[in-house]
Amino acid sequence: MYRRHTFFRGLWRHAIMLVFLVFALFPILWVISASFNPANTLVGQSLIPRNASLANYIEVFTSEQYPIALWIKNSVVIGLITSTLVVVMTSLAAYAFSRFRFKGRREGLFASLLVQVFPQMLAAVSIYLLILSIGKLIPSLGINTHAGLIMIYLGGAMGVNAWLMKGYFDTIPTSLEESAMIDGASPFQAYYMIILPLARPILAVIFLLQFIGTYSEFILASVLISSSDKYTLAVGLQLFIQDQYASRWGVFAAASVLGALPIVLLFMFLQKYLVSGLTSGAVKG
Amino acid sequence: MKRVTTMLVVLVLALSISLPVMASVPGELLIWSDGERAPILNEVAKQFVIEYGVTVRIQELPFGDIRDNLAIVAPTGEGPDLIVGAHDWLGQLVTDGLIDPIDVDDESLFLESGLEAFTWGGQRYGIPYAIEAIGLIYNKDLAGEDGFQSFEEMIELGTKLRDEGKYALVMPQPDPYHTFPFFSILGGYVFGMDADGVLDPLDVGLANDGAVEGFELFEYLMDERIMARATPYDTMMSLFQNGNAAGMITGPWAFNDVRSAGIDYGFQQIPSYKGQYGRPFLGAQGFMMSAFSENKMLANLFLNEFVATKDTMLAIYEGDPRPTAFLPAADIINEDPDMRGVMESAAEGIPMPAIPAMNAVWTAWSDALELVINQQSAPRPAIENAVQLIIQTIEDSGY
Amino acid sequence: MGKIIKGAFLGIVNVVFIWIALYLLGAEAYLVFVLLLLGALLTNVIFLLPRAYPYRYLLPAAFFMVLLVVYPIVYTVYISITNYGTGNILNKEQVVAQFESKYTLEPNSDSFAFQTYRDPQGDLWFLFTDSLGGQLVGHDGELTHLREDDPLLRQLAGYTELSRVDLVRATNELSSQSFAYDDTHELRMRNINAFNLYLQQYSYDRERDVLLEVQTGIVYTPEDGYFRAPDGTHLTPGFRAVVGFGNFRRLFGNPQITGPFVSVFIWTIQWALLSVGTTFVVGLFLAILLNDPYLRLRKVYRSLLILPYAIPAFISALIWRGLFNTDLGIINQILQATIGSSVPWLQDPFWAKVALIILNLWLGFPYMMIICLGALQSISAEMYEAAVVDGATAWQQFRHITLPLLMVSVAPLLISSFSFNFNNFSVIYLLTRGRPPIVGAQTPAGHTDILISYTYRLAFESGRGIDYGLASAVTLVIFLITGAITFFNFRFTGALEDVNKNV
């Protein structure tokens, strides 16, 4: 599909990229601008603030009341653990959906997707009550624990993720597994040693999506986490814009910019998995 | 297999992080506070430990979350002993059974209107620390040293400023809270009051003749370009900060932003119209006690002896300047002309209704404002339709 | 080896099950206990029966899904038949306990100063002094009037007197003490300095399940979540009670619902379709370009293009609101400078919808782009090589190879994305809040309100405050609609059918 470009074809592509880059980055430049703007406004009059300063960033790193660096760390740890577990659980489920035929398979697939589109308006209340009672049994999984929060996020392992992964598994030829199983491998070994390595791109996608989703979730986290040193970044950020009229946009923007960095770093790290794999004949069936 | 093992170890480690849960514990106080008050309360808590050896923990939450989370958390017994909050939460929190009355040792220390705002069914449910009301911030370079006496005066100046592309007035739009003075100026009200001072949710006075006349003034100001049209809070603020507006209807929270823009400003109450003053909503903030507290006596003691003191109240004021509701601290605060202005404006204020039926008012009211701002409807039909909707909604829910 | 691991695993799981089961029995949570037993049985069957082998792979994900996704749904169903909402959030026991603990201070009654002593057994003794100097000793709920030189005084002197600091630390113990002063009054702690006379306000009769107001003798009977007096008035707080299908009746019998329902529904469908369509087309287009190994700087492009997804949606929405601002927004400033006119973005019904689609495109295209980037990897290069040999154009390659193969994994996702946007309350709320309003509407409704934002107003802006019961009923009805649409989408696209493997 792809071949080496002539100069003009290449140029044409870069022009399109540029258009979308402007669209994607323009609002972000405003966030960055606000983070350097001491005037505390999101509707800055100019993209380059008049007396730009690092004051907001300094506050982010020095504030005792708001340990933002700690919150970012919490978010990253929770995000990494959650995403890892979700990828493991999802790939197991997707493997079953893709490779086995069993009763309730289609219904299960459909149901797992359907429950995810349920409008979760009362989720915060019900999940709080649930985690509270779990916490009475196992305190380390109760409210105000990161483990409890991670557990909640694992609820999303099925659904869209499983579908996406199942669809990908479906396109991997079964011939490799079949020959492995003739050699005496169990289905689990086939999954672990053949499917997973081949499915790296989709594992990376699910990992990334789950990480971003977890990283920016704040409704459940703000109900369940009750001490400032355990806040996630998304919960902590709410503290800056809590007052309708006296929000601290500058610090908020600075923290948002810093908070976006882990996601960008993770993406850059995952890129090589994201666009690798099957493209150049890794599977020769 | 090695990676699986590593992962399991990580998982087990994560699960074993078990730290004490924050909840109302007998013999210890837990306070839910917003960010502005939290550092001050932490200092007060230190004194309490020194004096009595009793631990007070402060948990910081976004202001609005305090009310919402209380309804989820308190009934399970995991909630706080005390909360920081606004007086207009009272109706909901009391009818929910989430807060208990507070025994105020010496009522003479507090501003009457502040205590009144925290009163429900004849009982005090809070110790107020601040009251607030909106007023008019004016740019002395445009509006003169003394601001505006009346809207008539403002219209006169506005017709001149219009030619320079400037406005005599800006305000957040559509925003019922800030627009209320236009409705109250000639006799409109939200809920009528019966002889006992109890609000009647079926008597909505936002479309009476006085209210409509005030609303028509609001429309006139925009039509004549005396007032900027369709300005959200941020837009309003930047117009004022850039010197393009002579007056801005807003509250004490705006002082910092105005000051930082280098505007020479003053604060006054809402100007008069046809000789009558526009009355803003009066709001109060204070401390309330959870009905599920295990330490009510201790919480009472903490409030009466450690919070209701001149030092604490001054510290609260310095952390977030709003007119204090604590009289012994008022003298010092009154030396600040800004605060004196807010105080005077608040003296004219009408307490914002705290009854739960208020939930049915805001959106319908805001929609009526927006239709007029967008020039899609005249004031009278817009607000009459809104009031009809409000009453219908309230009736539907069983009044 | 495998069998040992399996056995050990099952053993541990069963131990955990038994442990939880015992706890549940102790807590008398029988329903959960039965559910747990079923779960335990299922787990064992799955692991012991070879025929159930595939289910083992589903177990972990299904467990968490049932616990954390299905449970809230069940909870919502339960709430929809209750009156849960402002005024009715506590359960009946909690409300009764609150009424039982209500005391009124006897007006104008005497205030008693007190000294507190602890005897060697650790029990508390009180010495009360009224304003006239009269003294009483209180211990274990009983009061004794003191005469002069009462031997009790000497007895007290032998005990340890509590200092003020001790008193503060013991406030919970102190405030739980009450002494019968006469037939109606109780002497109770008022604050750290004094005890006062109090009257109990209510007493609860467990047998008859009624609440009695002690002073007036009025009997309150529980009915529909409130304790009601014979004259129809009721006490607050009320409690949570099952009210049957009342919420659903209110929903369907409400003239406000039937008002602008059709126009809201049409916009909801348009919104969901356009949201999915725009994000997918842009996401796929970019993914195909970025998948090109010969495109220079593609790593940089990719990293920059996911940035919109890395910024929390609530802050992006605020930024966009500023950009769309009619007077000061940069978009209008640019339009003004280039084409000489500006657009009333958030005031005009049509442009408000356009603004929403633009915002959602910005928020959503990186998601689609990442997914397509991943999914494109499953299409092997040989396919294209073969196509090129056959002389296929780029468009033909896309149409006949890329798109069908991509759809294998992406089609269900598009359907779920449609359903998600159908109920995407937050984007609507963050940018327009459903505004601009419809002129002369029968209910507060806006041009950009989608079904869920429109109906939730009934529940969150009701005359009684927040009405979770009604909100849950709304949720279920909307879920039925969404579910039906999703189901037909699957049937229509065939996404549920088994796809051809090894195409």
Side-chain angles (χ1 to χ4, degrees), chain C residues 98-306:
Chain C
Q98 278 200 8
F99 282 117
E100 280 187 311
S101 66
K102 271 191 207 285
Y103 288 87
T104 36
L105 185 66
E106 178 67 44
N108 310 318
S109 73
D110 209 348
S111 186
F112 296 76
F114 67 97
Q115 285 154 291
T116 314
Y117 302 87
R118 211 183 269 284
D119 66 20
Q121 283 77 44
D123 291 339
L124 290 177
W125 294 75
F126 294 88
L127 178 61
F128 297 111
T129 313
D130 67 22
S131 55
L132 298 171
Q135 289 194 311
L136 298 104
V137 167
H139 175 63
D140 201 16
E142 282 176 26
L143 288 174
T144 321
H145 285 267
L146 284 190
R147 286 153 304 155
E148 229 157 286
D149 283 332
D150 204 300
L152 259 176
L153 272 177
R154 241 168 301 134
Q155 191 185 329
L156 286 183
Y159 299 156
T160 335
E161 188 180 346
L162 270 61
S163 68
R164 190 179 160 83
V165 172
D166 296 332
L167 285 178
V168 169
R169 288 187 187 169
T171 41
N172 285 327
E173 206 181 343
L174 262 62
S175 58
S176 65
Q177 306 267 338
S178 79
F179 304 94
Y181 186 76
D182 53 34
D183 286 347
T184 50
H185 293 93
E186 284 179 36
L187 192 58
R188 303 179 67 90
M189 188 177 182
R190 181 177 186 186
N191 55 38
I192 199 75
N193 302 313
F195 271 57
N196 272 62
L197 293 183
Y198 285 87
L199 294 165
Q200 188 172 19
Q201 267 185 291
Y202 300 97
S203 71
Y204 178 64
D205 185 338
R206 232 153 275 273
E207 303 266 291
R208 291 162 56 210
D209 188 23
V210 293
L211 201 62
L212 181 83
E213 188 165 359
V214 178
Q215 303 309 307
T216 58
I218 297 175
V219 175
Y220 292 88
T221 40
E223 195 189 321
D224 293 341
Y226 289 102
F227 280 103
R228 288 183 198 275
D231 68 354
T233 55
H234 65 76
L235 298 172
T236 51
F239 49 89
R240 201 195 295 190
V242 174
V243 294
F245 293 101
N247 290 321
F248 292 92
R249 270 198 299 278
R250 270 174 64 204
L251 187 60
F252 291 115
N254 195 323
Q256 302 192 1
I257 287 290
T258 43
F261 180 85
V262 175
S263 72
V264 171
F265 190 73
I266 291 173
W267 160 239
T268 310
I269 300 274
Q270 289 173 333
W271 155 253
L273 278 176
L274 284 169
S275 297
V276 179
T278 51
T279 49
F280 179 63
V281 168
V282 171
L284 175 60
F285 179 69
L286 290 174
I288 290 176
L289 285 185
L290 290 172
N291 205 31
D292 181 348
Y294 303 110
L295 181 74
R296 279 162 206 274
L297 292 175
R298 68 183 196 288
K299 279 193 172 174
V300 178
Y301 287 144
R302 278 199 300 249
S303 307
L304 289 176
L305 283 171
I306 65 130

